[in-house]
């Protein structure tokens, strides 16, 4: 909470709430719009948090297919949530909890459990008031202790599963002072074939919102370009809001530029004035500017990294892509990720990894693609290509080494092959009796002890680190002795669990049982990702120097021959 010494904010004003809804179609960028608004308010000196409402019946995102829903993002407390919470953590630089993700499954489960316990004293349990009351309670509890809470309602207005949430928001606005609540509606503004920006989809979407009892205070138009002045005026006229409450959110080169774009549009200033906080905020000249400096820093050169996975979908590996960006910001280099299907590597490399500066094998579950991932590890190990293995990638590095160096023929993970003669990766002991799939893995933040004088120690600069986990399998303790005197060493442990591996006499070969990508931020890149990119640049520089020396030697030889 900002103190009087920095923003003059009066805590007695209470929480401010920004509700973000979307219309026309899903996937418009409500989450990025919301996160960008929060980033600007944080720059102005306020404590900001966020809540993501997911109307699906799942209790959490843990059992959802990445093809359908993108990556499962893991929070510090072990919550398995929608990838939008990852954007909130990265943009706001905060650690969120499971309480910041509201799902229909979670809400209904809680209300039904209360009904079974007799807490409603014989009343008929209904959507209104019991479900809507629970939704409002969750929002207020998540907002506690902060100045502004941004609540994003997933899906599109008009979806049947989202109706209880919109009703809860209507009630919420009725219960709170008008100056404490702001409704932002994000819509699509497409182009017609003759190049005209069309407002009719926005008009229909707002009509749907108003029929539910909600009136948008702000409309953000997603379009390829900035909205024309006449487009803004038309939206304002037909949606009954001031023209200066209509904002553009055009396509940009990088999502990290969205806060800069909406700041140029004046969205943050409008929100502050609506809440009566413009006099309480830090003066514009004193607001934090690190974000702009980081994301607009000049880049020199380009790093090409192969991401060897099973899902041909960027959203399935969102945090990995973002972590590589953060590392690129830090070293001043563009990082380009090249998708390589693990299935295609099962029989060989087929040249797909040749020319890549680095290789990442990410996490995942199931047999499909495992042999291709093992081959990718082998390629990186044998050819001196910088490598980073994450969770399953770490485990496949252990399998590859066991097969091809230790000579344990048929070595594998018991997850992939139950009858393997050498289960170098086996199920966690506490998982033997587990039957339910949701929320039962080893989840959340755990501490890893790091051996001094190791690459892991150089990366983290400490003898321990705390990172987030999501796994059921681990390195089998029965095989520890066989790795003891090997160049492949386990430099990070958690009791009897192997957490970090590294390979001696290799430019960069690191695997982590945990997921370091979940804690990476702009300006605070994840150590393993930063280490990978730095190793690639060192290798590239060394190669450039060698080429230069060779060229000079050739020139000298040619001169001698000439003379």
């Amino acid at each position: 909470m900002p103190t009087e010494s920095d923003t003059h904010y009066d805590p007695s004003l209470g929480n401010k709430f920004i509700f973000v809804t979307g219309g026309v179609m899903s996937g418009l960028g409500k989450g990025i719009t919301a996160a960008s608004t929060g980033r600007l308010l944080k720059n102005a000196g306020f404590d900001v948090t966020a809540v993501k409402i997911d109307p699906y019946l799942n209790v959490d995102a843990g059992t959802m297919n990445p093809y359908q829903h993108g990556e499962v993002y893991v929070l510090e407390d072990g919550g398995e949530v929608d990838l939008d919470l990852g954007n909130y953590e990265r943009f706001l630089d905060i650690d969120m909890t499971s309480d910041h993700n509201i799902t229909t499954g979670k809400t209904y489960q809680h209300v039904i459990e209360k009904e079974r316990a007799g807490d409603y004293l014989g009343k008929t349990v209904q959507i209104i008031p019991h479900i809507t009351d629970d939704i409002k309670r969750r929002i207020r509890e998540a907002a506690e202790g902060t100045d502004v809470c941004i609540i994003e309602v997933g899906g599109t207005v008009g979806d049947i599963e989202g109706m209880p949430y919109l009703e809860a928001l209507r009630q919420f606005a009725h219960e709170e002072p008008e100056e404490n609540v702001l409704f932002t509606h994000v819509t699509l503004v497409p182009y017609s074939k003759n190049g005209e920006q069309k407002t009719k989809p926005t008009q229909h979407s707002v009509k749907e919102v108003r029929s539910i009892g909600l009136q948008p205070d702000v409309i953000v138009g997603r379009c390829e370009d900035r909205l024309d002045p006449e487009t803004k005026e038309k939206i304002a006229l037909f949606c009954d809001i001031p023209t200066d409450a209509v904002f553009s959110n055009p396509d940009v080169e990088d999502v990290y530029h969205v806060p800069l774009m909406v700041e140029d549009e004046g969205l943050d200033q409008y929100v502050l004035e609506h809440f009566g906080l413009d006099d309480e905020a830090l003066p514009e000249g004193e607001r934090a500017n690190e974000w702009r400096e980081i994301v607009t820093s000049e880049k020199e050169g380009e790093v090409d990294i192969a991401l060897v996975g099973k899902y041909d979908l960027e959203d399935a590996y969102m945090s990995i892509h973002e972590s590589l960006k953060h590392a690129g910001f830090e070293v001043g280099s563009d990082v380009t990720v090249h998708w390589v299907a693990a299935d295609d590597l099962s029989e060989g490399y087929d040249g797909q990894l040749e020319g890549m500066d680095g290789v990442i094998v990410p996490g995942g579950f199931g047999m499909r693609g495992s042999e291709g991932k093992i081959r990718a590890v082998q390629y990186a190990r044998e050819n001196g290509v910088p490598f980073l293995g994450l969770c399953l990638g770490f485990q496949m590095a252990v399998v590859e080494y066991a097969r091809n160096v230790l000579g344990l023929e048929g070595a594998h993970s018991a997850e992939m092959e139950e009858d393997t003669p050498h289960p170098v990766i086996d199920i966690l002991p506490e998982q033997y009796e587990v039957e339910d799939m949701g929320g039962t893995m080893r989840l959340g933040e755990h501490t890893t002890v790091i051996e001094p004088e190791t690459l892991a120690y150089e990366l983290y600069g400490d003898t321990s680190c705390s990172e987030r986990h999501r796994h059921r399998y681990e390195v089998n303790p029965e095989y520890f002795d066989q790795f003891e005197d090997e160049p492949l060493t386990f430099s990070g442990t958690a009791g009897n669990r192997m957490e970090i591996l590294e390979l001696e006499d290799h430019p960069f070969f690191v695997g982590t049982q945990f997921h370091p990508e979940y804690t990476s931020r702009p300006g605070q890149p994840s150590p393993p990702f930063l280490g990978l990119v730095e190793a690639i640049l060192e290798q590239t520089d060394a190669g450039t120097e060698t080429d230069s020396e060779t060229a000079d030697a050739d020139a000298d030889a040619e001169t001698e021959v000439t003379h």
Side-chain angles (χ1 to χ4, degrees):
M1 182 81 68
T3 62
E4 188 172 345
S5 62
D6 49 28
T7 67
H8 307 289
Y9 179 72
D10 181 2
S12 66
L13 291 174
N15 291 108
K16 307 295 184 180
F17 298 91
I18 301 174
F19 295 103
V20 181
T21 56
V24 185
M25 59 178 283
S26 61
L28 272 180
K30 296 189 302 297
I32 297 297
T33 302
S36 299
T37 304
R39 177 71 252 176
L40 297 178
L41 295 177
K42 185 165 184 175
N43 288 349
F46 298 100
D47 285 339
V48 183
T49 192
V51 172
K52 174 64 189 299
I53 292 175
D54 286 305
Y56 47 66
L57 279 170
N58 304 65
V59 173
D60 57 40
T63 59
M64 301 179 76
N65 189 317
Y67 267 129
Q68 184 183 66
H69 202 68
E71 78 172 358
V72 176
Y73 188 81
V74 179
L75 300 173
E76 188 177 72
D77 66 359
E80 297 172 284
V81 296
D82 181 87
L83 59 81
D84 275 320
L85 275 82
N87 286 324
Y88 287 125
E89 288 204 336
R90 289 186 284 266
F91 276 67
L92 302 179
D93 190 21
I94 58 175
D95 292 323
M96 306 175 78
T97 70
S98 300
D99 292 338
H100 293 86
N101 187 207
I102 301 174
T103 70
T104 298
K106 189 183 293 184
T107 300
Y108 276 67
Q109 184 181 59
H110 178 72
V111 169
I112 291 171
E113 286 173 353
K114 286 172 64 70
E115 183 273 330
R116 292 289 83 188
D119 291 354
Y120 295 117
L121 302 176
K123 294 179 180 177
T124 301
V125 180
Q126 298 175 292
I127 304 297
I128 305 172
H130 301 100
I131 295 297
T132 53
D133 282 353
D134 193 70
I135 293 168
K136 292 182 291 182
R137 172 189 64 82
R138 291 176 183 274
I139 292 171
R140 289 191 169 98
E141 289 180 357
E144 189 174 356
T146 60
D147 303 325
V148 181
C149 182
I150 302 174
I151 303 94
E152 175 196 352
V153 183
T156 306
V157 169
D159 295 343
I160 189 169
E161 59 265 28
M163 297 305 287
Y165 295 100
L166 298 177
E167 169 58 23
L169 302 196
R170 187 195 66 78
Q171 296 177 20
F172 198 105
H174 180 73
E175 296 164 2
E176 292 286 331
E178 184 178 348
E179 65 274 14
N180 286 357
V181 176
L182 180 142
F183 285 98
T184 297
H185 192 58
V186 182
T187 71
L188 177 68
V189 180
Y191 278 103
S192 64
K193 287 187 177 181
N194 63 1
E196 179 187 0
Q197 292 178 340
K198 305 301 291 184
T199 67
K200 189 63 71 174
T202 297
Q203 293 178 44
H204 281 293
S205 181
V206 172
K207 180 180 179 181
E208 183 76 29
V209 172
R210 296 175 72 177
S211 71
I212 299 167
L214 303 177
Q215 169 62 49
D217 300 297
V218 167
I219 293 176
V220 177
R222 285 285 292 112
C223 188
E224 293 180 21
D225 307 296
R226 289 180 184 268
L227 300 182
D228 298 330
E230 54 269 28
T231 302
K232 288 187 175 184
E233 291 176 5
K234 192 171 183 181
I235 290 174
L237 175 64
F238 285 98
C239 298
D240 199 23
I241 64 172
T243 303
D244 60 359
V246 182
F247 297 91
S248 305
N249 186 355
D251 294 346
V252 292
E253 181 181 348
D254 192 307
V255 292
Y256 293 125
H257 292 174
V258 175
L260 314 183
M261 180 62 66
V262 295
E263 183 179 35
D264 291 343
E265 284 274 312
L267 177 59
D268 55 330
Q269 195 58 38
Y270 189 89
V271 171
L272 290 171
E273 291 175 3
H274 176 90
F275 285 143
L277 296 178
D278 46 323
D279 292 334
E280 318 295 339
L282 291 169
E284 289 191 25
E286 298 178 20
R287 296 181 187 180
N289 198 42
E290 292 87 352
W291 184 274
R292 182 180 290 271
E293 293 173 355
I294 291 169
V295 304
T296 59
S297 59
E298 291 188 11
K299 308 289 195 311
E300 293 183 6
E302 184 174 321
V303 170
D304 294 295
I305 295 180
L307 178 61
V308 183
K310 61 192 288 187
Y311 304 111
D312 186 7
L313 178 71
E314 182 174 335
D315 280 1
Y317 304 106
M318 174 69 74
S319 293
I320 294 174
H321 283 265
E322 299 309 306
S323 297
L324 289 169
K325 282 186 194 176
H326 306 159
F329 291 150
E330 190 73 11
V331 301
S333 179
D334 281 318
V335 180
T336 301
V337 180
H338 299 265
W339 165 253
V340 176
D343 288 347
D344 294 344
L345 297 181
S346 59
E347 300 300 327
Y349 309 126
D350 295 330
Q352 295 186 65
L353 300 180
E354 293 178 8
M356 292 292 106
D357 299 315
V359 173
I360 293 179
V361 176
F365 299 91
M367 180 66 184
R368 186 171 68 82
S370 61
E371 290 299 325
K373 292 182 178 183
I374 292 169
R375 285 189 175 273
V377 175
Q378 182 180 4
Y379 175 85
R381 180 180 61 80
E382 294 180 345
N383 291 278
V385 178
F387 166 81
L388 179 60
L390 307 170
C391 196
L392 181 63
F394 161 89
Q395 295 173 4
M396 294 300 96
V398 173
V399 171
E400 190 278 328
Y401 198 87
R403 288 182 184 181
N404 299 322
V405 179
L406 299 183
L408 301 179
E409 187 176 349
H412 216 317
S413 167
E415 177 189 7
M416 315 298 176
E417 190 176 324
E418 292 183 6
D419 298 328
T420 173
H422 296 290
V424 291
I425 303 296
D426 204 358
I427 195 165
L428 295 163
E430 62 267 29
Q431 294 285 319
Y432 284 128
E433 304 301 324
V434 171
E435 295 182 1
D436 291 339
M437 298 298 291
T440 56
M441 284 185 272
R442 184 172 181 243
L443 293 165
E445 185 177 86
H446 296 277
T447 298
T448 295
V449 176
I450 299 174
E451 289 291 327
E453 301 181 5
T454 61
L455 176 56
Y457 178 81
E458 290 180 21
L459 294 176
Y460 281 94
D462 203 343
T463 54
S464 68
C465 66
S466 293
E467 297 279 15
R468 302 177 190 180
H469 294 66
R470 185 175 185 250
H471 65 111
R472 293 186 195 278
Y473 289 78
E474 64 175 351
V475 179
N476 190 338
E478 295 181 7
Y479 288 85
F480 287 174
D481 291 344
Q482 301 194 44
F483 285 92
E484 191 170 0
D485 298 321
E486 289 295 320
L488 186 78
T489 60
F490 295 104
S491 53
T493 58
N496 201 37
R497 294 199 165 110
M498 301 298 104
E499 294 277 354
I500 305 175
L501 65 78
E502 56 188 68
L503 182 63
E504 297 175 11
D505 300 323
H506 191 283
F508 188 91
F509 192 98
V510 173
T512 66
Q513 181 60 78
F514 48 79
H515 289 269
E517 65 268 28
Y518 293 142
T519 53
S520 188
R521 308 276 192 273
Q524 303 172 57
S526 164
F529 284 89
L530 179 60
L532 174 69
V533 174
E534 286 180 334
I536 291 171
L537 293 175
E538 288 176 11
Q539 197 174 43
T540 303
D541 290 343
T544 301
E545 291 175 5
T546 301
D547 292 341
S548 178
E549 291 171 0
T550 301
D552 290 342
D554 290 343
D556 291 341
E558 185 175 332
T559 301
E560 291 175 9
V561 170
T562 302
H563 289 290

